[in-house]
Amino acid sequence: MSPTPPTRSPAEAAARFPAADASPVHDRPPNPKLRVIFVNRFYWPEIPATGQLLTDLAEGLARQRWDVTVITSAADGVTPVHEIRQQVRILRVGGTRWARHGALGKAVDFGSFYLLALWRALRIARRGAIVVPMTDPPLLGIG
């Protein structure tokens, strides 16, 4: 026989698992003590997995009153260089587009993005901000 899980009263369950705050995000300004800057080559509307996962994370933190900024690439040249989406400030930086020239071109693209993103991050980061540099999956094990 397997033991039965303990039962909880509705009040105990509510205390342990509080309901999400129902007030709209725009009615609550970000907490200036909770500031995070993500740096990743991909972000919405890009489709690579790292961009999709970061989009979910950034928007979730913004709903929790974090001041969230994402520095990403201007991959298609059509998306705005600066925009706010779902309370997340998105800053796009340029870079080379030499991936079609093989591995060396991809390395140049990667390096140019991170140099420009580093410059932008240094310009906007303030004391107390959490800066999270991210990388594509093939480079996760390096370092």
Side-chain angles (χ1 to χ4, degrees), residues 39-42 73 93-99 102-118 133-140 142:
V39 179
N40 192 43
R41 287 198 314 159
F42 303 110
S73 63
V93 298
T96 61
R97 297 285 176 252
W98 296 352
L104 181 60
K106 289 178 184 179
V108 170
D109 287 354
F110 186 82
S112 68
F113 166 73
Y114 278 101
L115 285 174
L116 292 168
L118 173 65
M134 301 173 70
T135 184
D136 301 337
L139 299 175
L140 288 176
I142 296 175

Side-chain angles (χ1 to χ4, degrees), residues 37-48 51-52 54-55 58-59 68-86 88-97 112-121 123-124:
I37 301 168
F38 291 103
V39 179
N40 192 43
R41 287 198 314 159
F42 303 110
Y43 189 73
W44 174 90
E46 297 288 327
I47 59 171
Q52 293 178 11
L54 177 56
T55 301
E59 291 176 2
V68 182
T69 300
V70 175
I71 300 173
T72 189
S73 63
D76 62 8
V78 176
T79 53
V81 174
H82 177 265
E83 70 178 304
I84 296 176
R85 177 180 185 269
Q86 302 294 325
V88 175
R89 183 168 68 150
I90 306 167
L91 305 175
R92 293 187 176 86
V93 298
T96 61
R97 297 285 176 252
S112 68
F113 166 73
Y114 278 101
L115 285 174
L116 292 168
L118 173 65
W119 174 253
R120 178 63 69 93
R123 290 179 51 215
I124 67 167

Side-chain angles (χ1 to χ4, degrees), residues 6-63:
T7 58
R8 292 190 177 93
S9 71
E12 290 174 320
R16 185 160 184 213
F17 303 104
D21 187 356
S23 63
V25 173
H26 56 80
D27 286 348
R28 302 179 309 163
N31 183 337
K33 293 180 181 178
L34 302 174
R35 183 162 195 212
V36 64
I37 301 168
F38 291 103
V39 179
N40 192 43
R41 287 198 314 159
F42 303 110
Y43 189 73
W44 174 90
E46 297 288 327
I47 59 171
T50 57
Q52 293 178 11
L53 293 170
L54 177 56
T55 301
D56 291 344
L57 174 61
E59 291 176 2
L61 288 173
R63 283 191 298 275

